Structures are given as C-alpha cells and as structure tokens.
Amino acid sequence: MKINVSGHHVDVTASVREHVEEKFSKIASHFPSLIALDIIISKEHNQHQVEISTIYEGARISATGENDVMYPAISAAAKKLDAALKHRKGQLKANLHEKPVSTTPEIAHEIIQEMELN
C-alpha cells in the first residue's frame, strides 16, 4: 500500500512518516485491496488536523482526526478510518447474502371458505 503524506504548515519529518506507516500497517494487512492512502497533516490555530482519504471497493472513504498534539491526531484519524473501512466491508458482505422474502400469512377465513364442509 502506498502512503502519500503531505503537510500544510507542518514539516513532515522521517519520524512522522515512520509513525504514520506504523499506524497504518495494521490497516494494510486487514484490507489488502487498498492501493493508496492520501494523508494531509495541517496545523491551524494550535490544532493539528489529520485528513485521510482513500478509495476502497469503489467507494471514497475519508476520516479526520484533531488534537493539540500531532501524534494523537494521527491515531484518532487511523481509528476512524479503520472503523469506516470495516463498515464498508460489512456493507459489501451484506449485499452478497440473499435478502429475506416476506410472505403474507394466509387468512383463516379464506382457508375455511375454501374447505368443503358437509
């Protein structure tokens, strides 16, 4: 999986890249069909914001995390992305199953009228 990390008013150092790769290694193993993650780390008004977006099985999935410190913001976004990917995977699995068919019960008086009572 390719991880594209960019910073807005933030220097993306080697340690930040290592932390990001460590956090998303679990996601890469759980969802092998993921091709790339786009991560934008920004800092505005002393708040670090992390935006993650990807495409998984035809749907665009994104998550954001926010905190005063950068590393917990990355962790929060990773948790949200993991939950969103699990939700999408569940939706795809649910579409594979046959939907239950609703049958209307026969009404008792119709059954009695059809019976031949002598």
Side-chain angles (χ1 to χ4, degrees):
M1 177 173 66
K2 183 170 171 54
I3 299 175
N4 302 318
V5 181
S6 62
H8 186 342
H9 300 296
V10 174
D11 291 330
V12 181
T13 61
S15 63
V16 171
R17 285 188 192 278
E18 282 180 28
H19 183 75
V20 166
E21 288 178 10
E22 177 187 323
K23 283 292 176 186
F24 294 103
S25 63
K26 177 180 153 186
I27 290 176
S29 65
H30 285 205
F31 304 98
S33 62
L34 275 180
I35 297 169
L37 288 178
D38 297 318
I39 302 172
I40 301 171
I41 302 171
S42 62
K43 182 178 180 182
E44 293 181 19
H45 306 293
N46 295 327
Q47 284 282 330
H48 288 276
Q49 298 171 342
V50 179
E51 299 175 27
I52 305 169
S53 63
T54 187
I55 296 177
Y56 178 66
E57 300 291 335
R60 184 147 188 87
I61 297 177
S62 61
T64 59
E66 220 177 277
N67 201 320
D68 293 338
V69 184
M70 184 187 324
Y71 294 106
I74 293 170
S75 298
K79 269 186 170 179
K80 289 180 183 179
L81 181 70
D82 190 37
L85 288 170
K86 284 179 183 175
H87 180 74
R88 176 68 181 153
K89 192 174 190 178
Q91 285 178 331
L92 293 171
K93 282 190 175 183
N95 287 340
L96 296 177
H97 298 296
E98 191 174 312
K99 303 292 186 261
V101 179
S102 171
T103 58
T104 57
E106 295 184 29
I107 301 174
H109 72 82
E110 290 178 357
I111 296 172
I112 294 174
Q113 287 177 356
E114 291 174 359
M115 293 174 62
E116 291 182 22
L117 300 173
N118 289 337

